[in-house]
Amino acid sequence: MGYSFKDHETVSEGIKRIAIEEIDKAVAQTKPKVKNWDEAIHGARVSLKKLRALLRFARTKDNADVFRHENACYREAGKRLSEVRDATAMIEAFDQLTKHYADQLAQDAFAEMRKSIFKVWMTKQSNQRKAISEVAQMFKSARSRVTDWPIGDNRFSALRQGLKRSYKHGRTTMTQAQTKPS
């Protein structure tokens, strides 16, 4: 679901509310009672991507240093979670491919390769709880900083620079994709 500002709030209030909501969603995904860690990690990563996009929209020349620091914090948390998730995704993709081509492959054609991938997966899984715990702490720390975010303008103009920058970047990458569709 996309962001939405409420009628009664300023842009500054809305940005901070949205950030706190996304952080709270991510924190909920890192709680020990989560049933499916892979889905939880995916959900937390989605929240991180939304937070980073929000930072890009709200960043201006006046608050760029603070927002770059916040962006780096969220990027690091995303990397930490992706290490765990990528190992699971790799083994899932490998298993799906070998299942799909099972009738064309010898029964144990890729058994050694799967052992190697599984070994990486096991290592990452053993680090999973530690990574999630570290990221949960990062979220809690980041949440407390949101109220101090310097958003100078309480009108739509607070988003003008970020929207222009994002739109320009989108047009540039669209042109590149059309020029070189590979």
Side-chain angles (χ1 to χ4, degrees):
M1 180 158 198
Y3 307 132
S4 63
F5 291 91
K6 296 183 178 178
D7 291 336
H8 67 279
E9 67 188 359
T10 65
V11 170
S12 177
E13 292 168 343
I15 289 169
K16 292 174 182 182
R17 175 189 51 78
I18 292 165
I20 287 172
E21 287 173 0
E22 287 302 326
I23 290 171
D24 288 347
K25 284 181 195 174
V27 167
Q29 299 295 328
T30 61
K31 293 194 174 177
K33 60 185 173 188
V34 170
K35 291 180 181 157
N36 185 327
W37 283 110
D38 292 326
E39 287 178 18
I41 289 170
H42 175 73
R45 290 178 69 201
V46 168
S47 288
L48 283 166
K49 290 175 184 180
K50 288 180 178 183
L51 281 162
R52 293 183 69 203
L54 183 66
L55 289 171
R56 282 191 295 276
F57 283 134
R59 192 179 82 217
T60 65
K61 292 174 187 165
D62 297 333
N63 64 17
D65 289 341
V66 172
F67 280 27
R68 277 191 200 104
H69 170 75
E70 292 297 324
N71 186 52
C73 176
Y74 296 135
R75 183 177 54 241
E76 187 58 36
K79 284 180 185 176
R80 193 77 175 100
L81 291 175
S82 71
E83 290 172 7
V84 177
R85 177 64 190 132
D86 290 351
T88 300
M90 189 176 353
I91 202 158
E92 287 172 355
F94 184 85
D95 287 346
Q96 287 175 354
L97 277 170
T98 54
K99 181 180 177 184
H100 180 77
Y101 292 105
D103 59 334
Q104 299 169 15
L105 300 169
Q107 188 172 0
D108 59 350
F110 293 100
E112 287 301 313
M113 185 182 285
R114 189 180 192 291
K115 282 181 190 175
S116 176
I117 293 170
F118 188 74
K119 204 182 272 188
V120 170
W121 180 79
M122 288 296 289
T123 302
K124 298 295 183 182
Q125 290 301 103
S126 67
N127 296 330
Q128 185 179 56
R129 290 213 189 276
K130 182 180 178 201
I132 290 169
S133 175
E134 289 171 0
V135 170
Q137 277 306 119
M138 186 282 314
F139 284 134
K140 290 172 185 167
S141 173
R143 191 183 196 284
S144 68
R145 294 190 304 266
V146 171
T147 55
D148 295 330
W149 283 2
I151 302 170
D153 195 346
N154 282 322
R155 297 172 307 199
F156 180 75
S157 59
L159 302 174
R160 183 177 290 130
Q161 287 179 24
L163 287 170
K164 280 177 133 178
R165 205 174 28 253
S166 293
Y167 186 75
K168 182 179 179 181
H169 177 73
R171 289 184 53 86
T172 301
T173 54
M174 183 173 144
T175 300
Q176 289 173 347
Q178 289 171 336
T179 306
K180 297 179 182 177
S182 63

